[in-house]
Structure formats: structure tokens, C-alpha cells
Amino acid sequence: MKTVLYPGSFDPFTNGHLDLVVRAGLLFDRVIVAVAINSEKTPMFSLEERKQLIEESCRHLPHVQVVTFQGLLVDAIVRFDAQAVLRGLRAFSDFEYELQMALMNRSLRRQCETIFMMPTLKNSFVASRLVKEVAQLNGEFRPYVPEPVARAIEEKLRARSRKQSQNTEEPHHD
Ligand code: PNS
């Protein structure tokens, strides 16, 4: 049984991520999407929300399993019994960061191989950061994310604007 671990922040999971998960399923028996706790980022969705949204988005893909992990990726590989790490490469600009990570991971653990896959052209510019920015600025973000993620983003934005309007309300005097 060949397993690949697909780590990331997935805040949120996009059609680009989904594209890769589907492609990887043609090469591996099992794709484990591993949602990372990244202390340097302030996420829009909590770790559990991100995990749940990926599960909902991949419900039709029996080869996909979703987990969360903390700590080193090279340790997660062993824990989840995976043979390789999967990362997406969209553009040349991704390359330097990805090369550094892949080489560091291999230095930490000699057997840790990273496999890079390119998404389809129509998803090659899709990034979680841009989806969030477009959504927050009232742009059309729905074409870039799976339906469960689109609904969850809308709910977050509604909750945020409810909170803002509560905060800006005049104090009530009797
Ligand atoms: O989606 P992202 O934010 O680009 O994913 C980055 C991620 C989670 C894959 C990376 O930060 C990671 O592997 N974190 C786990 C901690 C670790 O192993 N750090 C050393 C990497 S060389």
C-alpha cells in the first residue's frame, strides 16, 4: 500500500489543493492530507474547521484521509506510515521555498522524498491567501474553492460583519 502525505496549512482548502489530491490518487493508494498547526500564521479557520472542510470537500474520494499534525513533518511521515511527501508547485516563485523545505526534510530524515505535482492550468494561480483576500474585499471567490469551503467562508464573513456592526453601534443610554 503506497501512501503519500500532503501537508499544508489549507486555510482554506482550494480547488488547487483538490486538484492535487485527485491527481495523487492516480499514483498512490492512499493520500493523507495533513493539516498543520503553523504558529507563524493567524488562520481564518481553526485546525478542526480546516480538517472538517477538507473531509467534506473530499467525501467523494475514498483514497483520501485527513489528519492534523503538530511538530516536524518528518515525524508525521513515520507516524502515518507514508512513503513520500506531496507538495504542489504552481509557479517558479514557489520553487525556492519548496526546494529548501524538501532538502531540509531529507537532511533531517534521509528517506524523506518529496514529490511535486503541478495543478491544472486553470488552478495554477489559485492560492489560499488570494482567495481570502478576494473574499474579504467582497470579490467573487466561489469559483476557486469547493462548495463546502465557499459556504464556510460566507458564514465567517457574515459573522465578522455582525461583530463589526455590534462594535460600531452607539452605546445605549436610558
Ligand atoms: O501550506 P503551507 O503553509 O505552505 O505549508 C507549510 C508546511 C505546513 C508544509 C510546513 O510549514 C511544515 O512542514 N511544517 C511542519 C514543521 C516542519 O517540519 N518544519 C520544517 C520544514 S523544513
Side-chain angles (χ1 to χ4, degrees):
M1 174 113 152
K2 289 273 179 224
T3 300
V4 73
L5 194 87
Y6 181 26
S9 304
F10 304 112
D11 183 48
F13 191 71
T14 66
N15 285 343
H17 297 130
L18 183 59
D19 186 324
L20 238 66
V21 164
V22 171
R23 275 167 209 283
L26 303 174
L27 302 175
F28 290 88
D29 302 304
R30 194 165 62 132
V31 178
I32 302 181
V33 182
V35 189
I37 296 177
N38 191 338
S39 51
E40 283 177 26
K41 291 185 179 174
T42 315
M44 178 181 236
F45 292 100
S46 72
L47 194 69
E48 269 312 310
E49 285 173 326
R50 282 180 271 155
K51 177 173 184 271
Q52 200 183 326
L53 288 175
I54 301 168
E55 280 167 348
E56 283 175 39
S57 306
C58 297
R59 197 155 276 159
H60 60 297
L61 301 170
H63 64 278
V64 177
Q65 190 187 331
V66 189
V67 299
T68 60
F69 80 103
Q70 195 164 17
L72 285 177
L73 181 60
V74 288
D75 294 335
I77 290 276
V78 178
R79 195 165 349 119
F80 296 111
D81 204 16
Q83 282 74 49
V85 172
L86 171 68
R87 292 285 288 173
L89 265 190
R90 288 163 303 195
F92 200 66
S93 51
D94 285 342
F95 184 73
E96 196 175 340
Y97 170 62
E98 294 298 336
L99 177 72
Q100 270 185 333
M101 273 211 304
L103 294 181
M104 174 56 90
N105 284 328
R106 200 160 61 191
S107 170
L108 291 171
R109 188 175 167 77
R110 199 161 34 89
Q111 304 88 331
C112 184
E113 288 296 350
T114 304
I115 291 173
F116 294 103
M117 293 181 85
M118 286 81 174
T120 184
L121 206 57
K122 85 174 164 55
N123 287 322
S124 61
F125 61 92
V126 178
S128 300
R129 181 180 57 81
L130 291 181
V131 168
K132 281 185 285 192
E133 190 172 321
V134 170
Q136 277 156 1
L137 298 172
N138 297 317
E140 180 53 289
F141 63 91
R142 295 186 76 103
Y144 314 113
V145 290
E147 184 54 30
V149 175
R151 274 187 266 119
I153 293 177
E154 276 168 358
E155 185 45 47
K156 277 273 175 229
L157 295 179
R158 267 198 298 274
R160 203 170 280 181
S161 78
R162 270 198 302 272
K163 208 169 163 188
Q164 271 166 2
S165 59
Q166 274 163 11
N167 289 345
T168 53
E169 266 173 24
E170 291 288 317
H172 186 76
H173 300 292
D174 286 324

